[in-house]
mmCIF file of all heavy atoms in Angstrom:
data_model
loop_
_atom_site.group_PDB
_atom_site.id
_atom_site.type_symbol
_atom_site.label_atom_id
_atom_site.label_comp_id
_atom_site.label_asym_id
_atom_site.label_seq_id
_atom_site.Cartn_x
_atom_site.Cartn_y
_atom_site.Cartn_z
ATOM 1 N N ASP A 303 5.782 -29.426 -11.103
ATOM 2 C CA ASP A 303 5.326 -29.426 -12.554
ATOM 3 C C ASP A 303 5.923 -28.279 -13.216
ATOM 4 O O ASP A 303 5.497 -27.167 -12.953
ATOM 5 C CB ASP A 303 3.779 -29.377 -12.530
ATOM 6 C CG ASP A 303 3.254 -29.509 -13.981
ATOM 7 O OD1 ASP A 303 4.151 -29.666 -14.966
ATOM 8 O OD2 ASP A 303 1.986 -29.623 -14.146
ATOM 9 N N LEU A 304 6.809 -28.492 -14.094
ATOM 10 C CA LEU A 304 7.577 -27.360 -14.706
ATOM 11 C C LEU A 304 6.757 -26.580 -15.614
ATOM 12 O O LEU A 304 6.950 -25.360 -15.839
ATOM 13 C CB LEU A 304 8.755 -27.997 -15.527
ATOM 14 C CG LEU A 304 9.814 -28.709 -14.774
ATOM 15 C CD1 LEU A 304 10.945 -29.182 -15.616
ATOM 16 C CD2 LEU A 304 10.502 -27.701 -13.575
ATOM 17 N N SER A 305 5.585 -27.196 -16.193
ATOM 18 C CA SER A 305 4.709 -26.519 -17.137
ATOM 19 C C SER A 305 4.066 -25.420 -16.342
ATOM 20 O O SER A 305 3.459 -24.454 -16.921
ATOM 21 C CB SER A 305 3.899 -27.289 -17.894
ATOM 22 O OG SER A 305 3.320 -28.363 -17.124
ATOM 23 N N GLU A 306 3.927 -25.548 -14.973
ATOM 24 C CA GLU A 306 3.199 -24.554 -14.175
ATOM 25 C C GLU A 306 4.125 -23.368 -13.859
ATOM 26 O O GLU A 306 3.633 -22.251 -13.700
ATOM 27 C CB GLU A 306 2.653 -25.146 -13.000
ATOM 28 C CG GLU A 306 1.344 -25.844 -13.197
ATOM 29 C CD GLU A 306 0.790 -26.548 -11.984
ATOM 30 O OE1 GLU A 306 1.308 -26.225 -10.895
ATOM 31 O OE2 GLU A 306 -0.033 -27.400 -12.104
ATOM 32 N N SER A 307 5.363 -23.732 -13.552
ATOM 33 C CA SER A 307 6.272 -22.613 -12.964
ATOM 34 C C SER A 307 7.282 -22.001 -14.031
ATOM 35 O O SER A 307 7.844 -20.921 -13.833
ATOM 36 C CB SER A 307 7.063 -23.272 -11.876
ATOM 37 O OG SER A 307 7.704 -24.397 -12.255
ATOM 38 N N LEU A 308 7.337 -22.671 -15.206
ATOM 39 C CA LEU A 308 8.346 -22.083 -16.169
ATOM 40 C C LEU A 308 7.528 -21.691 -17.422
ATOM 41 O O LEU A 308 6.482 -22.092 -17.635
ATOM 42 C CB LEU A 308 9.361 -23.062 -16.442
ATOM 43 C CG LEU A 308 10.419 -23.404 -15.495
ATOM 44 C CD1 LEU A 308 11.372 -24.395 -15.916
ATOM 45 C CD2 LEU A 308 11.139 -22.197 -15.007
ATOM 46 N N PRO A 309 8.122 -20.825 -18.295
ATOM 47 C CA PRO A 309 7.487 -20.472 -19.522
ATOM 48 C C PRO A 309 7.164 -21.721 -20.332
ATOM 49 O O PRO A 309 8.000 -22.587 -20.384
ATOM 50 C CB PRO A 309 8.433 -19.438 -20.080
ATOM 51 C CG PRO A 309 9.632 -19.342 -19.243
ATOM 52 C CD PRO A 309 9.424 -20.179 -18.068
ATOM 53 N N THR A 310 6.194 -21.477 -21.215
ATOM 54 C CA THR A 310 5.929 -22.652 -22.121
ATOM 55 C C THR A 310 6.885 -22.548 -23.237
ATOM 56 O O THR A 310 7.665 -21.547 -23.514
ATOM 57 C CB THR A 310 4.494 -22.512 -22.682
ATOM 58 O OG1 THR A 310 4.565 -21.162 -23.541
ATOM 59 C CG2 THR A 310 3.414 -22.439 -21.623
ATOM 60 N N ILE A 311 6.900 -23.704 -24.054
ATOM 61 C CA ILE A 311 7.891 -23.584 -25.223
ATOM 62 C C ILE A 311 7.515 -22.490 -26.145
ATOM 63 O O ILE A 311 8.337 -21.934 -26.859
ATOM 64 C CB ILE A 311 8.057 -24.991 -25.828
ATOM 65 C CG1 ILE A 311 6.759 -25.511 -26.393
ATOM 66 C CG2 ILE A 311 8.687 -25.979 -24.991
ATOM 67 C CD1 ILE A 311 6.986 -26.677 -27.379
ATOM 68 N N GLN A 312 6.172 -22.189 -26.252
ATOM 69 C CA GLN A 312 5.961 -21.043 -27.214
ATOM 70 C C GLN A 312 6.427 -19.740 -26.714
ATOM 71 O O GLN A 312 6.816 -18.871 -27.447
ATOM 72 C CB GLN A 312 4.396 -21.009 -27.270
ATOM 73 C CG GLN A 312 3.783 -22.100 -28.172
ATOM 74 C CD GLN A 312 3.475 -23.436 -27.419
ATOM 75 O OE1 GLN A 312 3.470 -23.264 -26.171
ATOM 76 N NE2 GLN A 312 3.413 -24.496 -28.140
ATOM 77 N N ASP A 313 6.347 -19.550 -25.364
ATOM 78 C CA ASP A 313 6.849 -18.277 -24.799
ATOM 79 C C ASP A 313 8.391 -18.225 -25.072
ATOM 80 O O ASP A 313 8.874 -17.175 -25.428
ATOM 81 C CB ASP A 313 6.759 -18.387 -23.194
ATOM 82 C CG ASP A 313 5.234 -18.318 -22.782
ATOM 83 O OD1 ASP A 313 4.550 -17.871 -23.492
ATOM 84 O OD2 ASP A 313 5.020 -18.683 -21.565
ATOM 85 N N ILE A 314 9.063 -19.454 -24.916
ATOM 86 C CA ILE A 314 10.505 -19.383 -25.171
ATOM 87 C C ILE A 314 10.710 -19.032 -26.674
ATOM 88 O O ILE A 314 11.620 -18.188 -26.919
ATOM 89 C CB ILE A 314 11.088 -20.735 -24.868
ATOM 90 C CG1 ILE A 314 10.934 -21.100 -23.384
ATOM 91 C CG2 ILE A 314 12.417 -20.901 -25.389
ATOM 92 C CD1 ILE A 314 11.181 -22.477 -22.904
#
Side-chain angles (χ1 to χ4, degrees):
Chain A
D303 186 355
L304 296 179
S305 44
E306 275 174 18
S307 52
L308 288 178
T310 65
I311 61 164
Q312 287 84 18
D313 294 342
I314 294 167

